[in-house]
């Protein structure tokens, strides 16, 4: 598989300059190098950021599962593709070879076909981190169906809106899931969700926790007997380069979640290439990304990136704190993990628990450490570097998004000198730009602005499912001719990028993107609530936590505020999931609004952050007095 063969920073700059001079040849060379194509492309790239329309490798034909599985069978059939590490450490780990993966994916694909799933149909997957999860993604891809994975921590309401948005006819789930010492009734959540999903005809149910569950006749089917009966041969459907591979929902600052659509060929080339280079994967390495496959990080760097490279990838069902805070390090030792990729929030949570948990394990197999999902603070970076990497493992601080499909800005190990909190430099082929508020590109170094990308890369999402206009408005309209990420960043004197955080109303809590609008909508459903505004504030472990300013209706009756707080968080849990619960709730009689009725969140943010020395211009407020009142009662 392709490699930049970069050995130092100078070589990086050479490759980078070449990639920018002629991006099409750069990506074409990579695409030619080591993928299975059924037919070669006619054109490497066609794009127009105004419409916006982007196509990579147009005219090519392929099936991504041939690249993930079949082509490894001859030389590497017995090699472990997936190491499954269960929630409970006393349960045996499972090693799934490429041959066995082929068998399982083909059977699963046949079960989908037997249940009427056709090319182009959407399949909703709501599963815990068990082998059926990656197998089901690949089974969809095998037959050309479009998978839509919904993170199994989302509530019934969140699940049903995602199922309906993309018209899924079939849902794949399990009886339940293990999470530390708890079990979760996934099938119960699916049953509730499906009360408002008339389009779903079939539910395939994997057995994981052996709980008694309700099976609805003619709709619900146990998966295992169907897999047992199915053939283990399934010819891959030959797909067009630009056919959709999957939909994955991400939060927007307003409105319902956006179903980002990724297409086959570009995503394949991009995830494979970034995986190989950012993690410097070598033939017999064991790679572990601790994300859930319900998020893009799991799609790209547990399933597709590693498997396309014929790698061994760890699938971990558990949580970092069970049975104790040493679990990650126990798994690293047990499976001799070489590359370890996690989120800053996990690092901070583990750092708080002390060193005894990491010191009691042999971490000498580790070569490279990675982080993703939110800015990593300096303290967490040093803790990771000192205690886990023992100052010998380069840390790749990788910046990217659901929309970008794969990593865009990251150090390349052994070449890019790392600096804590800096994602450093764009990968070859990636062209970032910083913009000022007036839409001008900031040239040169020592600048700070909005992070955009000015040229297409193969892994970028092509549209929002069912709403191309929203795709255009969200990403291509703020700065004409540029993809706008929604993040702010600075470029230091050496050209290194440091991501400073979201510049819109998306808040990242424990690495999960949350839009404020849907949470406010949920809060406003409470009968006692008149209006609400939610902002983020810094949190030691979670990065950010949520602060709600809530105006209650004047009903004359007095309610115990603590009870109301519980009820409001309960509603949020039902509508979105426990990850969106508010840490602080302040009841107030008013919100700082402009004369046109817009809430000035900037002021609320400062109050929540306890940084009220300079609130900025408040002269446009309808009632400036309210600010003092809110400040006096702030939590
Ligand atoms: C944030 C996750 C700082 C950023 C792959 C982005 C980061 C959002 C980093 C996307 C990083 C991701 N440093 N911030 N290394 N990586 N982010 O869609 O705000 O779940 O826009 O994709 O996470 O989150 P998403």
């Amino acid at each position: 598989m392709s490699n930049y063969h970069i050995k130092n920073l100078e070589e990086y700059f050479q490759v980078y300059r070449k990639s920018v001079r002629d991006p099409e040849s750069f990506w074409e060379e990579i695409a030619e190098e080591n993928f299975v194509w059924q037919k070669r492309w006619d054109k490497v790239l066609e794009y127009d950021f105004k419409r916006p329309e982007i196509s990579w490798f147009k005219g090519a034909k392929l099936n991504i599962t041939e690249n993930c599985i079949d082509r490894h069978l001859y030389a590497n059939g017995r090699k472990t593709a997936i190491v499954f590490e269960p929630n409970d450490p006393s349960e045996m780990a499972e090693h799934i070879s490429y041959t066995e993966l082929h068998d399982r994916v083909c059977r699963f694909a046949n079960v989908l076909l037997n249940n009427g799933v056709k090319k182009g149909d959407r399949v909703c997957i709501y599963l815990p981190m068990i082998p059926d999860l990656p197998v089901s993604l690949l089974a969809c891809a095998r037959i050309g169906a479009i998978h839509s994975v919904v993170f199994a921590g989302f509530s019934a309401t969140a699940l049903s809106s995602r199922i309906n948005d993309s018209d899924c006819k079939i849902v794949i789930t399990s009886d339940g899931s293990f999470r530390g010492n708890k079990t979760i009734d996934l099938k119960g959540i699916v049953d509730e969700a499906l009360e408002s999903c008339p389009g779903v005809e079939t539910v395939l149910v994997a057995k994981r926790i052996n709980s008694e569950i309700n099976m609805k006749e003619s709709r619900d089917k146990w998966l295992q007997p169907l897999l047992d009966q199915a053939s283990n041969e399934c010819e891959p459907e030959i797909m067009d380069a630009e056919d959709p591979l999957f939909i994955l929902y991400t939060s927007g600052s307003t409105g319902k979640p956006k179903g980002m659509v990724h297409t086959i060929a570009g995503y394949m080339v991009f995830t494979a290439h970034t995986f190989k280079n950012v993690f410097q994967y070598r033939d017999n390495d064991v790679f572990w990304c601790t994300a859930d496959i319900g998020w893009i990080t799991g799609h790209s760097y547990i399933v597709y990136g590693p498997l396309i490279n014929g790698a061994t990838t760890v699938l971990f069902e558990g949580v970092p704190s069970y049975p104790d805070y040493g679990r990650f390090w126990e798994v690293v030792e047990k499976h001799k993990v070489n590359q370890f990729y996690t989120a800053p929030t996990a690092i901070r949570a583990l750092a708080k628990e002390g060193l005894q948990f990491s010191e009691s394990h042999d971490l000498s197999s580790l070569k490279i450490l990675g982080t993703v999902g939110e800015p990593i603070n300096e303290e967490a970076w040093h803790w990771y570097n000192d205690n886990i990497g023992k100052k010998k493992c380069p840390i790749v601080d990788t910046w990217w998004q659901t929309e970008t499909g794969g990593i865009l800005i990251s150090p390349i190990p052994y070449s890019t000198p790392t600096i804590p909190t800096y994602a450093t430099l764009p990968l070859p082929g990636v062209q970032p730009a910083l913009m000022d508020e007036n839409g001008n590109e900031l040239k040169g170094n020592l600048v700070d602005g909005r992070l955009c990308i000015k040229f297409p890369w193969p892994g970028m999402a092509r549209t929002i499912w069912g709403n191309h206009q929203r795709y255009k408005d969200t990403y291509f309209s703020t700065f004409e001719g540029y993809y706008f990420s929604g993040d702010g960043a600075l470029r230091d004197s050496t050209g290194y990028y440091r991501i400073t955080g979201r510049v819109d109303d998306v808040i990242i809590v424990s690495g999960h993107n949350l839009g404020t609008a849907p949470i406010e909508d949920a809060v406003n459903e409470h009968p006692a609530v008149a209006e609400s505004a939610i902002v983020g504030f810094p949190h030691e472990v979670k990065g950010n936590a949520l602060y709600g300013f809530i105006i209650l209706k004047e009903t004359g009756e007095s309610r115990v505020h603590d009870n109301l707080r519980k009820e409001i968080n309960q509603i949020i849990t039902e509508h979105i999931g426990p990850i969106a619960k508010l840490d602080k709730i302040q009841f107030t009689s008013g919100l700082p609004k402009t004369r046109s009725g817009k809430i000035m969140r900037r002021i609320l943010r400062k109050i929540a952050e306890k940084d009220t020395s300079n609130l900025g211009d408040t002269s446009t407020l309808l009632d400036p007095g309210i600010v003092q009142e809110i400040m006096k009662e702030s939590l």
Side-chain angles (χ1 to χ4, degrees):
M1 176 67 45
S2 57
N3 202 322
Y4 305 130
H5 307 297
I6 289 173
K7 287 189 257 0
N8 52 46
L9 201 57
E10 204 174 307
E11 284 187 23
Y12 159 82
F13 282 115
Q14 276 168 16
V15 175
Y16 185 78
R17 274 193 293 267
K18 200 171 145 222
S19 79
V20 172
R21 248 192 329 265
D22 185 357
E24 293 176 43
S25 306
F26 175 77
W27 289 112
E28 178 158 54
E29 220 172 278
I30 291 164
E32 273 166 352
E33 222 169 298
N34 201 9
F35 296 95
V36 178
W37 302 94
Q38 294 297 334
K39 178 183 167 287
R40 196 188 160 88
W41 49 92
D42 305 316
K43 188 124 191 4
V44 178
L45 170 65
E46 267 175 19
Y47 82 106
D48 176 354
F49 272 3
K50 286 214 183 80
R51 297 171 72 89
E53 264 165 29
I54 299 118
S55 83
W56 283 92
F57 310 113
K58 200 171 173 179
K61 302 232 177 241
L62 76 161
N63 187 292
I64 196 169
T65 69
E66 278 197 291
N67 286 276
C68 290
I69 312 172
D70 302 55
R71 63 159 162 165
H72 306 311
L73 295 178
Y74 179 71
N76 281 318
R78 288 160 69 179
K79 179 175 176 180
T80 300
I82 297 174
V83 180
F84 172 56
E85 173 65 27
N87 176 65
D88 182 344
S90 65
E91 188 182 332
M92 280 264 276
E94 212 182 313
H95 288 77
I96 301 170
S97 68
Y98 274 93
T99 302
E100 195 186 339
L101 183 63
H102 181 264
D103 185 281
R104 289 177 74 156
V105 168
C106 287
R107 285 177 191 275
F108 208 128
N110 283 319
V111 170
L112 293 177
L113 290 172
N114 295 340
N115 279 280
V117 179
K118 295 184 303 294
K119 176 175 174 174
D121 286 350
R122 275 79 58 208
V123 175
C124 175
I125 300 172
Y126 187 72
L127 278 173
M129 287 281 283
I130 56 175
D132 288 314
L133 177 53
V135 169
S136 64
L137 269 65
L138 296 164
C140 289
R142 188 81 173 172
I143 63 169
I146 303 168
H147 56 74
S148 169
V149 182
V150 177
F151 171 58
F154 274 123
S155 70
T157 316
L159 174 61
S160 66
S161 72
R162 286 161 175 78
I163 290 172
N164 289 332
D165 183 75
S166 50
D167 261 324
C168 300
K169 301 202 286 195
I170 183 164
V171 177
I172 302 167
T173 189
S174 65
D175 52 355
S177 65
F178 293 117
R179 201 174 158 72
N181 54 17
K182 290 198 292 245
T183 56
I184 295 163
D185 175 21
L186 285 193
K187 178 60 167 54
I189 297 172
V190 170
D191 287 342
E192 196 188 324
L194 293 191
E195 281 171 23
S196 42
C197 300
V200 173
E201 292 156 12
T202 310
V203 179
L204 299 178
V205 187
K207 205 170 236 176
R208 177 58 184 140
I209 67 169
N210 280 317
S211 56
E212 284 280 321
I213 57 163
N214 177 39
M215 294 291 277
K216 189 170 170 187
E217 234 193 275
S218 82
R219 187 193 71 184
D220 301 350
K221 301 175 187 177
W222 287 108
L223 184 60
Q224 196 56 50
L226 301 178
L227 292 171
D228 292 341
Q229 289 154 22
S231 155
N232 63 355
E233 289 294 330
C234 177
E235 280 301 305
E237 182 78 31
I238 301 307
M239 306 294 290
D240 286 338
E242 284 292 339
D243 280 336
L245 175 63
F246 65 84
I247 301 169
L248 187 61
Y249 287 87
T250 186
S251 305
S253 44
T254 55
K256 54 181 191 171
K258 300 169 284 190
M260 304 312 307
V261 178
H262 283 281
T263 59
I264 300 170
Y267 179 81
M268 172 181 82
V269 170
F270 195 68
T271 53
H273 187 69
T274 51
F275 171 78
K276 169 87 184 177
N277 285 285
V278 172
F279 299 106
Q280 294 284 311
Y281 186 84
R282 296 284 178 268
D283 274 352
N284 293 311
D285 288 348
V286 175
F287 176 83
W288 181 19
C289 163
T290 70
D292 192 290
I293 294 174
W295 311 113
I296 191 70
T297 308
H299 278 60
S300 301
Y301 299 110
I302 296 176
V303 185
Y304 289 107
L307 296 178
I308 297 164
N309 280 283
T312 298
T313 177
V314 176
L315 177 74
F316 176 52
E317 184 186 25
V319 293
S321 54
Y322 177 81
D324 63 37
Y325 288 95
R327 186 68 194 280
F328 274 1
W329 320 128
E330 184 224 320
V331 175
V332 166
E333 176 175 1
K334 179 172 170 189
H335 297 297
K336 301 200 169 40
V337 170
N338 302 112
Q339 291 91 355
F340 178 76
Y341 191 28
T342 196
T345 186
I347 298 168
R348 289 190 294 261
L350 295 176
K352 231 175 60 172
E353 300 301 327
L355 290 178
Q356 68 274 27
F357 295 106
S358 55
E359 281 173 352
S360 53
H361 293 285
D362 176 5
L363 304 180
S364 60
S365 58
L366 289 172
K367 296 194 287 193
I368 284 162
L369 303 176
T371 94
V372 60
E374 55 186 313
I376 182 165
N377 50 309
E378 197 149 348
E379 211 182 336
W381 193 97
H382 282 298
W383 185 86
Y384 200 29
N385 187 43
D386 295 352
N387 302 301
I388 306 306
K390 319 278 184 203
K391 297 197 167 94
K392 288 188 313 231
C393 304
I395 295 180
V396 289
D397 178 351
T398 62
W399 176 79
W400 59 295
Q401 310 179 290
T402 305
E403 295 85 338
T404 71
I407 298 164
L408 296 188
I409 304 183
S410 166
I412 294 175
Y414 315 117
S415 303
T416 320
T418 56
I419 303 181
T421 77
Y422 282 79
T424 74
L425 296 166
L427 296 184
V430 173
Q431 303 187 36
L434 297 178
M435 315 295 289
D436 70 13
E437 280 169 27
N438 305 320
N440 302 313
E441 186 174 338
L442 296 159
K443 304 279 182 183
N445 290 338
L446 277 178
V447 289
D448 174 344
R450 275 133 214 256
L451 178 57
C452 291
I453 312 288
K454 59 180 166 191
F455 195 85
W457 64 100
M460 68 192 300
R462 304 293 196 261
T463 188
I464 292 174
W465 184 263
N467 198 345
H468 196 66
Q469 184 63 40
R470 188 173 180 201
Y471 175 70
K472 177 176 174 169
D473 294 345
T474 311
Y475 304 107
F476 295 91
S477 300
T478 317
F479 304 105
E480 205 177 298
Y482 295 78
Y483 164 85
F484 174 44
S485 67
D487 282 325
L490 62 81
R491 193 161 53 224
D492 78 357
S493 58
T494 62
Y496 269 25
Y497 288 86
R498 179 183 198 216
I499 314 301
T500 48
R502 301 289 312 185
V503 294
D504 55 9
D505 289 326
V506 172
I507 303 171
I508 304 192
V509 178
S510 298
H512 304 315
N513 293 6
L514 298 170
T516 50
I519 307 175
E520 287 163 7
D521 290 345
V523 171
N524 297 347
E525 296 265 311
H526 191 287
V529 172
E531 202 179 350
S532 60
I534 286 157
V535 296
F537 68 99
H539 184 280
E540 206 192 333
V541 173
K542 299 197 273 192
N544 293 295
L546 300 174
Y547 192 125
F549 295 89
I550 295 177
I551 306 178
L552 294 175
K553 284 184 186 150
E554 294 196 21
T555 55
E557 62 175 311
S558 66
R559 297 274 310 263
V560 180
H561 279 180
D562 277 346
N563 289 349
L564 276 176
R565 287 192 175 94
K566 277 198 200 112
E567 289 170 19
I568 287 168
N569 270 331
Q570 185 55 33
I571 289 195
I572 294 176
T573 305
E574 282 160 21
H575 279 249
I576 300 162
I579 49 180
K581 281 206 263 190
L582 307 179
D583 266 44
K584 292 186 181 176
I585 296 179
Q586 176 180 349
F587 296 109
T588 168
S589 62
L591 292 168
K593 286 192 181 167
T594 60
R595 290 195 185 85
S596 58
K598 205 168 154 2
I599 298 171
M600 261 200 187
R601 284 166 198 279
R602 175 174 59 78
I603 293 178
L604 295 176
R605 234 176 266 136
K606 292 234 170 187
I607 295 174
E609 286 167 9
K610 298 196 190 308
D611 170 23
T612 49
S613 55
N614 175 17
L615 288 178
D617 182 12
T618 55
S619 63
T620 55
L621 286 179
L622 190 60
D623 170 17
I626 193 70
V627 176
Q628 289 305 323
E629 194 186 315
I630 299 174
M631 264 163 58
K632 241 192 287 148
E633 287 168 9
S634 70
L635 304 167

